[in-house]
Amino acid sequence: MTSLSLASAPPPETAASDRLADLTTLRVGGPARRVVVADTETELVETVRAADAAGEPVLVLGGGSNVLVADDGFPGTVVKIANRGISADVSDCSGATVTVAAGEDWDALVAAAVEQEWSGIEALSGIPGLVGATPIQNVGAYGSEVSQTLARVRTLDRSTGRQASFSVADCGFGYRTSRFKAERGRFLVLEVTFQLVLGSLSAPIRYAELARTLGVPVGKRVPSADVRQAVLELRAGKGMVLDDGDADTWSAGSFFTNPLLEPDAAALLPPDAPRYPGPEGTVKTSAAWLIQHAGFDKGYGNERAALSSKHTLALTNRGDASAADLLDLAREIRAGVRQRFGITLVEEPVLVECTL
């Protein structure tokens, strides 16, 4: 067993203020009653246990990249996850079993995996946030999902106060969902273990856009470093890589999930609407396509809150937006898509003390 330091990872953010806008990528959100930065697993567990025992509302915050907090803030304790640690058991037979603390930076882990020639997560490059958040949402992009390489999740079950571990089969993974999301607030992720293949080649390329960018057919394997570079370039072109100087990246990533439709409902879409096989016989279509074809082009909005000028699936803070501004824009887009196509879009970020 070897321990690694993710030198490319930024240090954990410190909560210098109680203003949640300072801790989220959307840059909105009022104050919390208290903010605690948990640098160790022990501090993380003890802080949450104590707050639960006292009946104190708790908001567990990772990288703040998938959350929209109300302008009134949060009337309780915000626990900022900052525990670190990564260890790997590498074998020619079983590959790399990599166990990572919840507070490690996700993209730094991907970069390290590519450097170490551990294959399987390279297509998930550039996704902001911490490792502990990835199984909750079953984070995915470019034909890859965390559940495809995940082996185990160790948690604190807040309903019992005891730790509980889950194998991948017990996590209830689906499209952008999991047992941890379905039972929101019950499980605090402490550590995630991944099973990765040894080698410099990527997993088979599953996503047509990525395959075109790499100049290979779908299903081909290429150097993982090439996949990482191509994904970073694709994400940057859509404003999906955080950049302090680019308001198009001041977002929560994709604001709406791609709808999963029954075949009869999918048949009612216009002939040129995207259609992909979904789980359990469903048909997946593109939320970005629906938004654009409902009349909301890139940049739609106002000087405070608008769709990204690079991608219609990202709602962005143009510099002076409130949570209310972003929610108003989201409601307008959702209503427009419903009126045009009869489909109700579902938000992807966690809404804190507010509703859509």
Side-chain angles (χ1 to χ4, degrees):
M1 182 76 73
T2 58
S3 296
L4 297 179
S5 175
L6 301 189
S8 57
E13 296 180 39
T14 57
S17 78
D18 62 359
R19 184 172 171 265
L20 294 177
D22 298 329
L23 299 177
T24 64
T25 56
L26 266 172
R27 306 184 180 210
V28 299
R33 191 185 67 78
R34 181 173 69 126
V35 177
V36 176
V37 179
D39 294 307
T40 67
E41 182 179 302
T42 297
E43 185 178 8
L44 175 59
V45 169
E46 289 181 351
T47 300
V48 172
R49 277 178 175 162
D52 286 345
E56 173 84 0
V58 175
L59 172 63
V60 178
L61 198 63
S65 59
N66 194 48
V67 62
L68 193 164
V69 182
D71 297 313
D72 289 340
F74 185 73
T77 295
V78 172
V79 183
K80 181 74 174 69
I81 298 176
N83 62 320
R84 309 297 290 272
I86 174 172
S87 61
D89 187 359
V90 181
S91 164
D92 289 339
C93 295
S94 59
T97 303
V98 186
T99 299
V100 190
E104 288 285 0
D105 179 80
W106 170 256
D107 190 55
L109 173 65
V110 178
V114 171
E115 182 179 353
Q116 295 290 327
E117 296 190 349
W118 302 335
S119 173
I121 57 175
E122 54 281 340
L124 299 176
S125 293
I127 295 175
L130 305 185
V131 168
T134 59
I136 297 172
Q137 195 77 2
N138 189 16
V139 165
Y142 296 103
S144 182
E145 292 182 332
V146 164
S147 57
Q148 293 164 349
T149 55
L150 189 144
R152 185 174 64 256
V153 181
R154 185 164 60 83
T155 73
L156 173 69
D157 184 344
R158 294 171 60 189
S159 71
T160 65
R162 299 178 180 178
Q163 291 193 23
S165 292
F166 299 89
S167 69
V168 64
D170 297 322
C171 291
F173 286 125
Y175 171 64
R176 300 299 177 268
T177 193
S178 69
R179 176 177 188 169
F180 314 113
K181 183 176 180 179
E183 299 181 67
R184 181 166 290 166
R186 176 178 174 181
F187 297 104
L188 171 64
V189 176
L190 304 175
E191 187 179 76
V192 185
T193 299
F194 301 90
Q195 189 66 49
L196 304 176
V197 175
L198 301 185
S200 61
L201 293 181
S202 69
I205 304 301
R206 302 181 180 94
Y207 199 78
E209 181 184 21
L210 179 57
R212 287 194 299 270
T213 299
L214 291 164
V216 300
V218 171
K220 182 76 172 179
R221 300 175 70 201
V222 301
S224 294
D226 293 351
V227 174
R228 174 168 170 78
Q229 184 60 36
V231 169
L232 289 173
E233 290 174 0
L234 284 169
R235 290 183 64 87
K238 298 174 183 178
M240 295 294 187
V241 176
L242 294 178
D243 181 348
D244 285 342
D246 183 0
D248 274 338
T249 74
W250 301 354
S251 75
S254 299
F255 197 89
F256 296 104
T257 59
N258 290 322
L260 298 176
L261 307 175
E262 294 300 324
D264 289 347
L268 299 176
L269 290 171
D272 57 338
R275 293 170 173 82
Y276 312 99
E280 300 179 357
T282 60
V283 178
K284 182 190 296 184
T285 190
S286 165
W289 188 95
L290 295 174
I291 290 168
Q292 185 167 7
H293 286 78
F296 304 102
D297 290 326
K298 298 172 185 176
Y300 180 89
N302 54 49
E303 70 280 2
R304 298 182 307 280
L307 292 175
S308 166
S309 67
K310 301 179 179 72
H311 198 271
T312 57
L313 203 48
L315 275 65
T316 65
N317 180 351
R318 308 314 295 181
D320 195 30
S322 64
D325 291 329
L326 289 158
L327 289 167
D328 284 345
L329 178 60
R331 292 183 190 112
E332 182 183 0
I333 291 169
R334 184 179 63 176
V337 169
R338 184 191 296 126
Q339 181 178 20
R340 174 66 178 83
F341 297 107
I343 295 171
T344 299
L345 296 177
V346 176
E347 72 275 8
E348 188 165 333
V350 175
L351 305 183
V352 178
E353 299 295 312
C354 56
T355 60
L356 191 59

